[in-house]
Amino acid sequence: MYQTTGQTRQADEEIVKGNSTAPHVGEKRTTKIADSTKSNPGAKIKSYPTNCSTCGAETPMPVLSRKSFKKLPQWDFEDIYNQDAPPRQTTCAQSLRNSMEDEGFKKAFLPNIRLFMHKMNMSEWNRLSHFNNPFGFMEFNYDDVMASVKLMPKPKEPLLLPKSGTDRCVRCAVVGTAGILNGSKMGKEIDAHDYVFRMNGAVIKGYEEDVGNRTSVYVHTAHSITSSVYLLRKYGSTSVPNDEGIKYVLIPEGMRDFNWLEGLFKRERITAGPYKNSRPWTFYGGQYNETRFYVLHQDFLRYVRNRFLKSSHLNDSYWAIVRPTNGAFTVFLALQTCDTVSAYGFMTEDYMKYSNYYVETHVKTNVIFYANHDYILEKNLWKTLHDSKILKLYQRT
């Protein structure tokens, strides 16, 4: 189920390397640099050194095109990630870090994976430029992206701290938007956690009995934060969660997100892309504060895909749009930052009994499967993690 890794070194801001095997396929992938000129004879792409510390430390490498690859390219540094040392220490007896028994998960899990973006040198840019977004900067222009990266404040970590006067455990609930929550009456149980994560169209008003009313961390993209209120207005949505002191976490899924970030950090209207002239800070209900704003690192996003959710659809012609859902990234963010995690509103084995979203209370709708996500792979993973006691998955039956 999980992709295991080799030996790791413990050092400050270290890089580790492991095998590149698909987690759900018994056949091992070869780890080599893809020759893009075979699938696109017109592409003039040079070979890059396999040791990424020498991947052009002075200037940006030539831009790679997704069209040059018929499926996900496998570089020999595919499973190399930045890590921060040391990982958060915990005395919580129930902590995942202290009670992990699933050997497969234990080998795949990196407790100190780099979670958030900050500054970046040219070597890092060139390494990450081999990966498609949101896992890297393939097809992106260095100056366009760095315009926002250079503005990013140093993340204030850890993301969450134990509540004072408790047993020092950080207990978290991650609340998805699935219809299984409709009529669940899980609101009080959700709000009883130390912290509550939500994502996307997290409509709360009118649904508190089922989904709770607290939000500590809201995970989003530029697209989800701009479209959620508009698309869900008929269900009572007026704003994304904006609790006092809330922390916002952005998934940089495309160039439009870096345009968004530049406008946000400069507090100026966006000058390019689909949100041109928008004022991004106005979408956070008056709670935007750069000391409580985080941008997920490409290494973390790729780690989640490679080690836990490596879909077989990455071998298809549309491989470049295939990625875990925002909900999946949020679950793993919680697993990295909390001692215990409970997941509500995620797909379960009996998902066909429920509407697509919990806000759809009057008409039974069908779950929509979009091509860019492997929902069945995610459903199976949540059940496996639940059965292994790595998280607690809310299931109606």
Side-chain angles (χ1 to χ4, degrees):
M1 185 71 185
Y2 315 114
Q3 177 179 342
T4 58
T5 68
Q7 294 290 322
T8 63
R9 296 180 293 108
Q10 296 300 320
D12 186 42
E13 297 188 354
E14 73 176 300
I15 291 179
V16 297
K17 182 178 181 180
N19 297 327
S20 290
T21 46
H24 61 292
V25 179
E27 182 177 87
K28 184 175 180 179
R29 293 183 185 274
T30 55
T31 56
K32 62 182 181 180
I33 296 180
D35 182 358
S36 64
T37 59
K38 290 182 179 179
S39 57
N40 184 2
K44 297 180 180 179
I45 300 176
K46 60 183 285 188
S47 297
Y48 295 97
T50 58
N51 178 358
C52 250
S53 65
T54 61
C55 283
E58 299 298 328
T59 59
M61 60 177 265
V63 176
L64 293 180
S65 171
R66 301 189 304 184
K67 294 181 180 178
S68 298
F69 305 96
K70 294 181 179 179
K71 61 180 181 179
L72 177 72
Q74 292 293 299
W75 312 99
D76 69 346
F77 43 89
E78 176 72 34
D79 205 39
I80 291 177
Y81 312 100
N82 281 305
Q83 294 194 72
D84 296 318
R88 181 178 69 84
Q89 300 300 308
T90 178
T91 58
C92 173
Q94 295 81 41
S95 176
L96 172 68
R97 290 162 177 74
N98 297 335
S99 61
M100 196 183 301
E101 296 180 357
D102 186 306
E103 289 299 321
F105 187 86
K106 186 184 296 186
K107 290 179 180 179
F109 185 75
L110 297 177
N112 54 339
I113 183 78
R114 178 74 56 80
L115 294 177
F116 306 116
M117 290 186 68
H118 181 31
K119 58 187 178 181
M120 182 180 304
N121 59 32
M122 190 63 72
S123 178
E124 272 291 88
W125 167 266
N126 286 342
R127 178 178 70 88
L128 292 170
S129 292
H130 290 78
F131 308 113
N132 64 299
N133 59 283
F135 313 102
F137 302 122
M138 185 182 287
E139 293 195 333
F140 291 175
N141 178 276
Y142 174 80
D143 291 331
D144 291 342
V145 173
M146 292 306 292
S148 60
V149 173
K150 290 177 180 178
L151 299 172
M152 289 182 183
K154 185 176 181 179
K156 187 176 180 181
E157 298 188 75
L159 179 67
L160 303 172
L161 292 170
K163 298 287 188 179
S164 59
T166 70
D167 56 7
R168 309 302 292 171
C169 293
V170 178
R171 296 181 174 86
C172 299
V174 183
V175 185
T177 58
I180 191 173
L181 284 178
N182 180 13
S184 67
K185 301 188 187 309
M186 284 290 107
K188 289 184 179 180
E189 181 175 309
I190 290 170
D191 286 341
H193 290 76
D194 296 324
Y195 299 98
V196 180
F197 290 67
R198 300 183 195 269
M199 76 296 300
N200 299 341
V203 184
I204 292 175
K205 188 175 181 181
Y207 305 90
E208 295 91 343
E209 185 179 26
D210 293 334
V211 305
N213 60 17
R214 294 178 53 227
T215 307
S216 315
V217 181
Y218 177 69
V219 180
H220 64 293
T221 62
H223 172 71
S224 69
I225 199 171
T226 53
S227 63
S228 291
V229 175
Y230 172 75
L231 294 175
L232 298 172
R233 187 173 297 161
K234 62 182 178 180
Y235 298 109
S237 178
T238 57
S239 171
V240 299
N242 55 2
D243 300 41
E244 185 176 356
I246 190 173
K247 297 183 178 183
Y248 292 107
V249 178
L250 184 130
I251 301 170
E253 68 171 351
M255 193 60 229
R256 61 189 178 186
D257 294 273
F258 291 101
N259 297 147
W260 180 269
L261 289 169
E262 185 178 1
L264 186 64
F265 293 140
K266 287 183 176 180
R267 215 173 181 85
E268 296 177 354
R269 290 181 182 271
I270 297 174
T271 59
Y275 306 118
K276 185 176 181 179
N277 291 323
S278 294
R279 298 176 298 164
W281 64 93
T282 64
F283 285 80
Y284 296 90
Q287 281 297 314
Y288 167 72
N289 185 313
E290 72 173 28
T291 66
R292 292 185 277 104
F293 192 91
Y294 301 78
V295 181
L296 289 177
H297 196 285
Q298 287 75 17
D299 276 359
F300 168 71
L301 301 175
R302 204 171 73 260
Y303 151 79
V304 172
R305 181 196 67 186
N306 288 351
R307 299 202 173 189
F308 303 100
L309 289 168
K310 201 161 192 178
S311 172
S312 60
H313 299 308
L314 292 166
N315 293 318
D316 294 330
S317 60
Y318 58 94
W319 67 270
I321 67 169
V322 177
R323 69 168 180 85
T325 61
N326 291 356
F329 287 135
T330 305
V331 168
F332 276 93
L333 177 61
L335 288 172
Q336 298 289 156
T337 55
C338 307
D339 291 308
T340 67
V341 176
S342 298
Y344 303 82
F346 285 81
M347 186 178 284
T348 56
E349 294 291 342
D350 58 347
Y351 69 90
M352 288 183 289
K353 292 181 179 180
Y354 315 110
S355 289
N356 199 24
Y357 299 113
Y358 65 73
V359 294
E360 296 168 326
T361 58
H362 299 298
V363 179
K364 167 68 171 63
T365 62
N366 294 321
V367 175
I368 301 173
F369 290 83
Y370 295 99
N372 57 331
H373 302 310
D374 193 332
Y375 296 93
I376 299 302
L377 181 62
E378 292 191 12
K379 171 184 69 69
N380 294 341
L381 178 61
W382 308 145
K383 183 65 163 57
T384 298
L385 296 182
H386 174 82
D387 292 345
S388 301
K389 296 181 171 55
I390 292 166
L391 58 73
K392 178 184 175 184
L393 176 67
Y394 171 66
Q395 302 171 87
R396 291 285 279 267
T397 57

